[in-house]
């Protein structure tokens, strides 16, 4: 059975991969000239990579880890020391660590918090633990119910000290969702905390050994095409044309550079595009349906990713860092964390600017100038000297609409992968699945979409593997 999929991000590629596993033939359409969607990457004239975002992988990503295993590319994940590292703005150039011991969860995470005396007092730790208790004891159902509150509102209701929000949750919220605790739904960080507290290696972090486009998306594309599927770049979806009964008749692909439009017919159709694009392309008859009207409650959040190359090493830390800056979210020195980007003499910092709503329309010069001001606080020894570190070049990637903006009340607007149209499905991290807007959420959504298609057409499909591998990335982490 032919399945047309619009969008070659992780959701679309994962959906196509799992469709080939059950005997279907996917045709994946990508509007740009590069695979990956929100994990896309490009090479500049010097041969250096720059990416759509700073992509870190967590041990609590079972579907992603299973996908790497099935593609036989597990060795491309470079697992880091099991720790979370926060900058200390009150002590420029210093860090506070939450080192997680290699013992069963949740004791390992609890001990990492108890042992950290840089950021929280004992009274704050106790209040923090008591505040989190309902989320841990009552589980995901309770966590989902907390979508009616912002994280800041929830923390205050639980009596958690304001300093916990300032020191930990502002950084965590911006890292997870690109917005602050007073905006983000409490469900988002509580879901992450649940995973970290329930899985031994849930909070352990890995980086790819190269660009996501080459080291993750290309193996997916190869897997799909080797099994009869098709990947078509530079093939933007222009229109979804309907039959009289409201089902999809065909996709219209926009012709580029003067070429005529093309009609693509299939047995089943999937949108794996971002929610903002889906809303624009919805056929008018569908716009009157309650299922699709709910999509109006979702919109993408702006994100800015920066890449800065310097003439020297600014840090030797091989890990994701939480900046605790008003401007920046997380960052990493990719010359340390990524094998292909390695450079013993120079740093390439990759940083996420968040929240980005006030910066998305600003010039690159303004963004770099503001970022450099923050870096002088993070690395004072390299910028306050007689010979300060020199910025050699930079790349900025703006994404005006990234993952859906996870403000309170959004859970009710997230659609299922199955729609009221019997030959049309949705995939994307904005659709309803437990991992929210993330790489893991995108992969899981694609898998769920393939599963739904297979179940709707059992006469032509084998069974989709529904069971993710156990999330234990650290088994080989010491030798990776």
């Amino acid at each position: 059975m032919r399945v047309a999929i619009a969008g070659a991000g992780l959701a679309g590629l994962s959906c196509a991969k799992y469709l080939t596993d059950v005997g279907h033939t996917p045709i994946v359409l990508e509007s740009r000239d590069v695979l990956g969607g929100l994990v896309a990457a490009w090479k500049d004239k010097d041969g250096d990579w720059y990416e759509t975002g700073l992509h870190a992988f967590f041990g609590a990503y079972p579907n992603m880890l299973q996908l790497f295993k099935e593609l036989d590319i597990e060795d491309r994940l470079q697992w880091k020391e099991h720790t979370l590292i926060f900058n200390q703005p009150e002590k420029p150039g210093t860090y506070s660590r939450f080192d997680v011991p290699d013992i069963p969860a949740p004791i390992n995470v609890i001990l990492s918090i108890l042992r950290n005396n840089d950021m929280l007092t004992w009274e704050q730790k106790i209040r923090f633990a008591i505040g989190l208790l309902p989320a841990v004891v009552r589980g995901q159902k309770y966590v989902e119910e907390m979508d009616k509150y912002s994280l800041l509102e929830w923390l205050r209701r639980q009596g958690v000290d304001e300093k916990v929000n300032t020191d930990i949750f502002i950084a965590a919220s911006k890292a997870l969702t690109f917005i602050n605790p007073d905006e983000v739904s409490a469900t988002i960080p509580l879901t992450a905390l649940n995973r970290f507290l329930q899985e031994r290696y849930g909070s352990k972090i890995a980086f790819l050994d190269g660009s996501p486009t080459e080291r993750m998306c290309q193996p997916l594309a190869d897997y799909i095409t080797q099994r009869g599927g098709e990947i078509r770049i530079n093939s933007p979806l222009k229109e979804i044309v309907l039959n009289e009964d409201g089902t999809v008749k065909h996709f219209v692909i926009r012709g580029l550079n003067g070429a005529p439009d093309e009609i693509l017919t299939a047995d089943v159709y999937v949108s794996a595009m971002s929610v903002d694009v889906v809303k624009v392309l919805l056929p008018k008859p569908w716009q009157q349906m309650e299922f699709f009207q709910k999509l109006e409650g979702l919109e993408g959040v702006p994100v800015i990713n920066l890449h800065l190359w310097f003439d020297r090493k600014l840090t030797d830390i091989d890990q994701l860092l939480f900046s605790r800056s008003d401007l920046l979210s997380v960052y990493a020195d990719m010359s340390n964390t990524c094998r292909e980007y390695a450079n013993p003499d120079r740093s390439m910092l990759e940083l996420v600017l968040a929240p980005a709503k006030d910066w998305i329309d600003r010039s690159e010069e303004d963004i770099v100038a503001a970022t450099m001001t923050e870096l002088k606080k993070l690395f004072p020894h390299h910028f306050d000297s007689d010979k300060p570190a020199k910025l050699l070049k930079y790349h900025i990637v703006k994404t005006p609409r990234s993952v859906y903006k996870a403000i309170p009340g959004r859970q009710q607007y997230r659609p299922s992968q199955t729609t009221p149209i019997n030959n049309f499905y949705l995939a994307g991290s904005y659709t309803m699945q437990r991992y929210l807007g993330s790489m893991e959420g995108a992969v899981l959504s694609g898998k769920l979409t393939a599963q739904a298609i297979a179940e709707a057409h059992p006469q032509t499909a084998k069974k989709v593997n529904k069971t993710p591998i156990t999330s234990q990335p650290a088994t080989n982490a010491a030798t990776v």
Side-chain angles (χ1 to χ4, degrees):
M1 187 175 72
R2 282 165 56 90
V3 182
I5 302 173
L10 284 178
L13 291 172
S14 298
C15 179
K17 186 267 181 197
Y18 288 109
L19 284 172
T20 65
D21 286 346
V22 295
H24 294 314
T25 303
I27 303 96
V28 184
L29 309 174
E30 171 53 46
S31 62
R32 299 190 294 188
D33 62 355
V34 62
L35 302 175
L38 294 179
V39 300
W42 301 265
K43 263 188 178 180
D44 66 14
K45 59 182 177 59
D46 301 319
D48 292 318
W49 286 98
Y50 59 101
E51 307 176 10
T52 311
L54 179 53
H55 303 111
F57 299 76
F58 284 91
Y61 279 5
N63 294 280
M64 175 69 80
L65 298 182
Q66 178 180 327
L67 180 63
F68 270 70
K69 182 176 182 179
E70 292 170 354
L71 296 172
D72 195 24
I73 57 172
E74 292 173 286
D75 60 343
R76 298 184 183 186
L77 287 174
Q78 298 179 264
W79 291 99
K80 308 304 179 183
E81 185 180 0
H82 198 173
T83 185
L84 299 176
I85 305 177
F86 292 74
N87 278 107
Q88 297 194 84
E90 62 277 9
K91 300 177 183 177
T94 63
Y95 305 91
S96 181
R97 300 171 61 102
F98 291 83
D99 294 316
V100 184
D102 192 11
I103 57 177
I107 301 172
N108 57 349
V109 174
I110 293 171
L111 273 179
S112 75
I113 296 172
L114 294 179
R115 290 174 176 175
N116 181 292
N117 296 314
D118 299 322
M119 294 172 66
L120 301 177
T121 66
W122 275 100
E123 181 182 358
Q124 288 163 345
K125 291 174 187 177
I126 293 169
R127 287 187 180 183
F128 185 21
I130 293 172
L132 288 177
L133 198 59
V136 176
V137 174
R138 297 171 62 183
Q140 191 62 25
K141 185 176 185 296
Y142 170 83
V143 168
E144 294 290 339
E145 292 171 352
M146 294 304 101
D147 184 52
K148 58 190 173 183
Y149 302 115
S150 72
L151 176 60
L152 186 57
E153 289 172 333
W154 183 84
L155 289 169
R156 287 171 175 168
R157 287 175 62 87
Q158 300 304 114
V160 177
D161 194 288
E162 187 72 26
K163 193 172 188 297
V164 177
N165 172 54
T166 304
D167 286 357
I168 295 177
F169 280 108
I170 289 179
S173 295
K174 294 202 299 182
L176 288 169
T177 65
F178 312 114
I179 55 179
N180 282 315
D182 60 340
E183 286 190 281
V184 69
S185 163
T187 293
I188 311 304
L190 290 179
T191 296
L193 275 171
N194 255 359
R195 300 270 60 79
F196 292 170
L197 288 167
Q198 292 178 21
E199 300 178 21
R200 184 169 185 165
Y201 303 109
S203 58
K204 192 159 188 174
I205 295 171
F207 283 78
L208 267 179
D209 62 358
S211 80
T213 295
E214 277 196 346
R215 303 298 287 170
M216 178 170 58
C217 296
Q218 192 57 51
L220 264 170
D222 293 341
Y223 185 102
I224 293 161
T225 56
Q226 288 165 7
R227 288 157 180 79
E230 185 179 349
I231 308 287
R232 299 176 56 178
I233 60 173
N234 294 315
S235 299
L237 179 61
K238 177 181 179 180
E239 185 182 2
I240 302 171
V241 178
L242 305 184
N243 293 305
E244 290 186 4
D245 63 359
T247 59
V248 181
K249 182 178 181 181
H250 58 251
F251 278 173
V252 178
I253 304 171
R254 185 185 303 279
L256 301 179
N257 301 318
D261 293 345
E262 179 185 347
I263 291 175
L264 176 66
T265 59
D267 301 292
V268 171
Y269 300 82
V270 177
S271 166
M273 303 175 292
S274 70
V275 66
D276 299 284
V277 178
V278 173
K279 289 189 291 186
V280 171
L281 288 174
L282 279 179
K284 286 187 178 180
W286 292 1
Q287 294 174 18
Q288 311 308 313
M289 302 173 68
E290 181 181 1
F291 178 90
F292 292 109
Q293 285 178 343
K294 284 188 175 182
L295 296 181
E296 293 300 323
L298 300 173
E299 65 176 19
V301 64
V303 175
I304 299 174
N305 203 52
L306 298 92
H307 311 73
L308 307 176
W309 282 262
F310 290 92
D311 66 346
R312 70 189 67 175
K313 275 288 187 190
L314 299 183
T315 177
D316 292 321
I317 297 177
D318 180 12
Q319 182 57 279
L320 183 73
L321 296 163
F322 295 83
S323 76
R324 295 178 66 206
S325 156
D326 290 337
L327 181 71
L328 304 174
S329 169
V330 289
Y331 69 97
D333 189 333
M334 300 298 284
S335 70
N336 300 329
T337 61
C338 177
R339 189 173 295 125
E340 186 176 349
Y341 303 169
N343 189 322
D345 302 315
R346 295 179 177 179
S347 283
M348 190 279 268
L349 296 186
E350 188 169 344
L351 313 99
V352 178
L353 190 156
K357 62 182 179 180
D358 296 329
W359 290 88
I360 198 73
D361 294 324
R362 298 278 291 271
S363 70
E364 291 192 352
E365 291 76 14
D366 285 349
I367 292 170
V368 170
T371 302
M372 290 296 293
T373 298
E374 293 298 315
L375 291 182
K376 290 174 184 178
K377 301 174 186 176
L378 297 179
F379 304 104
H381 301 304
H382 291 286
F383 291 100
D384 293 342
S385 63
D386 293 335
K387 294 183 178 180
K390 181 181 179 182
L391 178 63
L392 300 175
K393 68 174 182 178
Y394 64 84
H395 286 292
I396 296 177
V397 180
K398 294 182 179 181
T399 307
R401 302 284 180 141
S402 182
V403 295
Y404 80 95
K405 190 174 183 180
I407 57 178
R410 295 310 95 182
Q411 292 292 85
Q412 64 181 312
Y413 296 107
R414 298 176 69 192
S416 61
Q417 289 77 33
T418 303
T419 79
I421 310 303
N422 63 24
N423 69 342
F424 183 74
Y425 295 79
L426 297 174
S429 63
Y430 71 91
T431 62
M432 184 54 76
Q433 41 73 31
R434 69 182 301 180
Y435 289 95
L436 313 166
S438 61
M439 291 189 293
E440 171 71 5
V443 169
L444 177 55
S445 75
K447 191 174 189 178
L448 292 173
T449 304
Q451 175 185 317
I453 293 171
E455 290 175 350
H457 302 274
Q459 70 281 10
T460 59
K462 295 175 286 186
K463 187 176 181 181
V464 175
N465 178 11
K466 301 180 186 178
T467 307
I469 61 172
T470 302
S471 179
Q472 293 186 341
T475 303
N476 300 317
T479 59
V480 173

